[in-house]
Amino acid sequence: QVQLVESGGGSVQAGGSLRLSCAASGQIYCMAWFRQLPGEEREGVAAMTTVGGSKWTDASVNGRFTISKDNAKDTVYLEMNNLKPEDTAMYYCAATYRGCTLRASSYKFWGQGTQVTVSS
């Protein structure tokens, strides 16, 4: 079974930066980042294939966030720059064997979440 371990969340002021990490065990084709507010749907932020390096990013982060992979290990990162208060959410790492989308229903495995809070 795939296990995902997230880290890197925290509290920052608007305009600041954070780097989220997700370490994965097991064989994975696609890894992604989602975010969610209480009572709202989980929404995709960025995704990439672990082989081939194809990437997708939601328009809401529009160049401010970058997803990347450490080629030496099964870890993906989400570099978040110019953070805004509306970026505040619980961020989740996700993984799946097949497909690579920004839809939560595509993913079989999830991390525990890491909180990102951006103060205005």
Side-chain angles (χ1 to χ4, degrees):
Q1 182 177 348
V2 173
Q3 302 287 336
L4 304 176
V5 180
E6 302 165 333
S7 62
S11 298
V12 297
Q13 292 184 322
S17 299
L18 285 172
R19 185 195 194 196
L20 306 184
S21 300
C22 178
S25 62
Q27 304 304 307
I28 298 170
Y29 169 71
C30 173
M31 298 182 70
W33 291 96
F34 289 77
R35 63 188 181 186
Q36 185 175 30
L37 291 171
E40 299 187 6
E41 294 183 358
R42 192 168 296 184
E43 297 186 342
V45 176
M48 71 177 298
T49 57
T50 58
V51 178
S54 298
K55 298 179 180 180
W56 297 263
T57 306
D58 188 75
S60 65
V61 299
N62 194 27
R64 297 182 297 117
F65 293 7
T66 301
I67 188 170
S68 62
K69 178 178 180 291
D70 187 327
N71 292 326
K73 57 185 178 181
D74 291 329
T75 301
V76 295
Y77 305 95
L78 186 67
E79 294 278 358
M80 303 185 292
N81 298 310
N82 192 24
L83 283 161
K84 303 176 180 180
E86 51 263 44
D87 295 318
T88 295
M90 184 72 72
Y91 282 71
Y92 295 90
C93 179
T96 190
Y97 296 136
R98 295 292 182 91
C100 204
T101 75
L102 296 178
R103 293 185 176 273
S105 61
S106 297
Y107 292 84
K108 297 181 180 294
F109 308 103
W110 296 88
Q112 78 286 350
T114 184
Q115 179 68 38
V116 172
T117 302
V118 184
S119 301
S120 62

